[in-house]
Amino acid sequence: MRVTSRTRFPSVPSAPAILAMLAIAAAALSGCRLERASGKKPSGFRDGLPQRGDQTDSASPDSAGPDAQDATPHRGEDIVFDSLPPSAKPRLPAGLHDFQQVFADVAEKAIPAVVSVYSERNIGSPESGSPYDDFLDNGPFQYFFNQPGGKKANPHSHKETGLGSGVIISPSGYILTNNHVIDGADVIKVQLLDETEYVASIVGTDKPSDMAVIKIKAKKLLPTIPLGSSEKLRIGEWVIAVGNPYGLSHTVTTGIISAKGRKNTGINSYENFLQTDAAINPGNSGGALMNLSGELIGINTAIFSRSGGYQGIGFAIPIDMAKKITQDLIRDGEVTRGWLGVSIQPLDPDQAEALKLGEHGDGMVHGAMVGGVVPGSPAEKAGIKRGDVITKVGDLEVKDANDLLNQIALLLPNKTVDVWVIRDGITLTFKARIAKRDEKRLASIRGGDEDGEPATVGLQVAGLNKEIKERFGIEKSLTRGVVILSVEADSRAARAHLREGDVITEINRIAVLNLEGFRASMAQASKGNKILLQVNRKGNALFVTL
């Protein structure tokens, strides 16, 4: 494994070598046990306690002679505990010893660069709670805000505190963390390894990706973690997580990369998560995920849990995505994203068959269906139409709707790219000049904008398909409607207590058949003051007013 100039660790043995080393160690231990079992004990030792004089261990209570030791305890007697002498200890193979040291060396260098982040928020009323309370209590994806180590608001308190983690990425004090760790905070404090505490200022936040950069003014240069590449990671590679779970600062856990490119979880608007089984818990949010070269390859963000704690599935924002966001936030205070101007929706196998789309070598149907084109947008000017399936942007294939969303967002405004589409079974290529994404303008589009972002009502929705139904546990017989992927905090939808996984089946008594029908109905309904929704929640129908 390549070692950067910032880290010096022993080389990591290959998997077969590790297995061989473990077998040797096991054999050594087994041999030691056999030697002891056969009566060949280390000199000067016996089972339980060291020998004294010429005593043997064959005496029984019935054959005890007059010189037998009294079993009565004697106060003040010194006890010598059994231990293996150096000559009897099995030697750990050199390669396995080096492998162990890699974890210790990485942790030792990383711990000083991981900080505790405390946030304090003055709430408006005694009854107010965290905007994440409903998400925490009901969803399987548990954010790490307002967990043990912080206190929720109660009728006798006008403040709420939260706890998370952060990673120092610059000696001058720039710290990378999650947006939800500091969202809405009036005061942010950072504690270093030596327990020195600083008040931090916000450099910039990006809610769609759940990233934030804060800064402290320290009197010395601060330790950092070198940035690696998440793109080069392979599934199965060892990783190390460092954070502050439940307020237990600088906790180190290990695991592997379980999956890459996890999306459609409903956690963030822009998703391309690394999945790991390294133990991360409430308080780890914003902490470091590193490879065995000691490089930062992800920012721990969320876990999938039905208990609120670790269940073997954690998600981290890949560092390649975080790099661009961080640079934009430090330079401009906001993230600049590209905009194509199309409504997109997932493509299921039935739609692919109807559109005469072929499968790729992996047996999957790739692409994103265009549900609509924004008038005057780069897509319309290029000639892209509703019903087209976008399969490629520039040199990158489009795997699904989320993949297209991420690819377009990473493009710089005014850049001209080739967009490959399939229309009526024929592959066409269009040149589109990417524009700058204007979040305020897009928020004015009711019922979800061109990339499925939460609109002014505060909802992010998607059409029903097999994958969506399995993820949210939606009954198979339900074929009409749209499912809520996320609810924006402090929005009309949040105040109406809508939840992720709810299926909207009617808007103002008009049936919602699909995503396009939802957008049309919402556009019409937004002309009035109130919007009446019929929602299917876990098989139960209820009405909700926005």
Side-chain angles (χ1 to χ4, degrees):
M1 180 172 292
R2 185 177 65 86
V3 181
T4 68
S5 60
R6 297 288 298 274
T7 54
R8 295 183 181 178
F9 305 115
S11 60
V12 181
S14 64
I18 293 173
L19 292 175
M21 295 170 190
L22 291 174
I24 294 171
L29 291 171
S30 176
C32 181
R33 294 192 190 99
L34 288 173
E35 183 182 30
R36 292 173 65 87
S38 64
K40 298 179 181 179
K41 303 179 179 66
S43 176
F45 281 77
R46 54 176 292 185
D47 292 336
L49 291 174
Q51 296 185 30
R52 297 186 178 183
D54 296 329
Q55 280 185 304
T56 67
D57 57 359
S58 60
S60 66
D62 295 333
S63 61
D67 295 332
Q69 285 188 348
D70 185 3
T72 304
H74 297 282
R75 304 302 179 194
E77 180 179 9
D78 291 332
I79 299 297
V80 180
F81 294 101
D82 189 15
S83 62
L84 286 175
S87 61
K89 291 183 179 180
R91 291 187 177 182
L92 201 61
L96 187 57
H97 178 270
D98 290 345
F99 183 61
Q100 284 189 137
Q101 292 306 306
V102 170
F103 292 92
D105 290 342
V106 171
E108 184 177 22
K109 287 183 174 291
I111 284 175
V114 178
V115 301
S116 298
V117 180
Y118 301 93
S119 61
E120 186 177 287
R121 177 185 179 188
N122 296 314
I123 59 176
S125 65
E127 288 75 27
S128 296
S130 166
Y132 294 100
D133 286 349
D134 188 66
F135 189 60
L136 280 164
D137 296 338
N138 297 289
F141 292 99
Q142 306 291 320
Y143 273 95
F144 309 146
F145 195 70
N146 292 326
Q147 295 295 331
K151 296 181 180 179
K152 288 186 178 181
N154 58 64
H156 305 291
S157 173
H158 293 273
K159 293 182 179 180
E160 69 178 13
T161 59
L163 168 66
S165 306
V167 182
I168 304 172
I169 58 172
S170 165
S172 59
Y174 286 104
I175 297 171
L176 197 55
T177 187
N178 284 134
N179 176 71
H180 73 262
V181 170
I182 63 168
D183 189 33
D186 296 302
V187 178
I188 302 169
K189 294 181 180 180
V190 169
Q191 188 179 78
L192 306 183
L193 178 62
D194 61 6
E195 297 188 355
T196 304
E197 196 171 90
Y198 297 91
V199 174
S201 59
I202 296 177
V203 176
T205 63
D206 184 55
K207 196 167 187 175
S209 66
D210 194 23
M211 295 294 300
V213 177
I214 58 179
K215 193 175 188 298
I216 60 174
K217 293 181 180 180
K219 297 180 179 179
K220 58 182 180 180
L221 294 178
L222 299 173
T224 63
I225 299 179
L227 304 190
S229 171
S230 50
E231 181 63 29
K232 296 178 181 178
L233 280 175
R234 299 172 61 197
I235 295 173
E237 281 193 39
W238 285 96
V239 290
I240 297 175
V242 183
N244 307 296
Y246 299 108
L248 302 172
S249 65
H250 301 93
T251 295
V252 178
T253 57
T254 64
I256 63 170
I257 292 294
S258 307
K260 294 177 61 179
R262 279 283 185 244
K263 56 197 70 171
N264 300 320
T265 65
I267 300 175
N268 295 338
S269 299
Y270 294 92
E271 298 180 336
N272 190 30
F273 288 119
L274 300 174
Q275 181 181 322
T276 179
D277 65 350
I280 52 179
N281 284 288
N284 272 108
S285 192
L289 188 68
M290 298 168 296
N291 60 21
L292 293 192
S293 292
E295 297 171 318
L296 185 67
I297 48 90
I299 299 296
N300 297 321
T301 298
I303 57 175
F304 182 92
S305 175
R306 299 191 182 280
S307 66
Y310 170 71
Q311 288 189 316
I313 301 177
F315 298 100
I317 297 171
I319 198 62
D320 290 349
M321 176 184 285
K323 282 179 184 177
K324 180 186 182 303
I325 294 172
T326 301
Q327 290 169 347
D328 284 355
L329 291 177
I330 293 176
R331 183 182 63 244
D332 306 321
E334 63 178 3
V335 178
T336 300
R337 292 187 170 94
W339 181 64
L340 182 59
V342 292
S343 316
I344 53 176
Q345 64 186 71
L347 188 65
D348 61 38
D350 292 336
Q351 292 171 327
E353 184 178 353
L355 293 169
K356 302 176 182 179
L357 301 179
E359 292 184 347
H360 282 240
D362 57 6
M364 302 295 290
V365 177
H366 291 182
M369 179 179 285
V370 177
V373 179
V374 177
S377 67
E380 184 189 54
K381 294 175 181 178
I384 298 171
K385 297 181 179 180
R386 180 173 176 268
D388 287 347
V389 176
I390 298 177
T391 59
K392 192 175 180 182
V393 176
D395 296 327
L396 300 176
E397 288 190 0
V398 174
K399 296 179 180 179
D400 51 32
N402 188 81
D403 195 30
L404 175 63
L405 175 65
N406 288 333
Q407 287 190 33
I408 296 298
L410 291 173
L411 294 175
L412 294 175
N414 298 319
K415 179 180 177 63
T416 300
V417 295
D418 289 331
V419 180
W420 300 68
V421 309
I422 295 178
R423 180 185 298 169
D424 299 326
I426 301 174
T427 300
L428 303 173
T429 306
F430 299 97
K431 289 190 178 295
R433 188 179 182 184
I434 301 300
K436 180 180 178 180
R437 184 181 179 86
D438 186 341
E439 299 291 348
K440 293 182 179 179
R441 175 180 177 273
L442 295 176
S444 66
I445 303 175
R446 302 278 179 167
D449 67 21
E450 84 294 348
D451 290 326
E453 290 285 336
T456 51
V457 297
L459 289 178
Q460 181 183 8
V461 299
L464 291 175
N465 56 40
K466 183 179 179 181
E467 180 186 357
I468 288 289
K469 287 183 178 181
E470 289 179 351
R471 176 149 58 91
F472 291 102
I474 298 170
E475 55 192 34
K476 295 181 180 179
S477 59
L478 191 60
T479 59
R480 298 180 177 182
V482 295
V483 66
I484 297 176
L485 298 179
S486 69
V487 180
E488 190 174 350
D490 299 325
S491 65
R492 292 169 62 184
R495 291 192 289 273
H497 303 292
L498 287 172
R499 305 174 183 175
E500 67 169 49
D502 286 350
V503 179
I504 299 174
T505 56
E506 287 186 5
I507 299 176
N508 286 349
R509 298 289 187 177
I510 298 175
V512 174
L513 302 181
N514 50 34
L515 192 61
E516 198 63 28
F518 170 80
R519 291 194 175 102
S521 295
M522 285 296 290
Q524 182 65 30
S526 65
K527 297 177 182 179
N529 293 324
K530 297 291 183 181
I531 302 175
L532 180 66
L533 304 180
Q534 185 180 54
V535 173
N536 183 299
R537 178 177 294 167
K538 302 298 182 183
N540 299 314
L542 63 151
F543 286 98
V544 175
T545 302
L546 295 178

